[in-house]
Amino acid sequence: MYFFYQQNASTFTIFNIPAVLCAYLGGDLKRLRASVLPGSIVPLLALLVWGAIALGLSDQAGHAIDPV
């Protein structure tokens, strides 16, 4: 049930981001595009790298020795 409330809270707050960016950058469309594009690509690259590392480590999971 906690996940449901947490997900709804994050879903409704995402609609504030464009308005805040427009106010902060003065509605300049060129500056908005220049901030949104890198702001979207950087997390995407981080997610892809994280996924690649996780998939690479999952192949070695059968060979790992539990230190505990």
Side-chain angles (χ1 to χ4, degrees), residues 15-59:
F15 295 111
N16 295 335
I17 295 172
V20 169
L21 282 176
C22 285
Y24 184 70
L25 296 175
D28 186 10
L29 189 59
K30 191 173 186 177
R31 287 177 58 197
L32 280 167
R33 286 185 181 149
S35 66
V36 170
L37 189 63
S40 300
I41 290 176
V42 170
L44 175 65
L45 291 176
L47 179 71
L48 292 175
V49 168
W50 183 341
I53 290 171
L55 287 174
L57 291 176
S58 68
D59 184 39

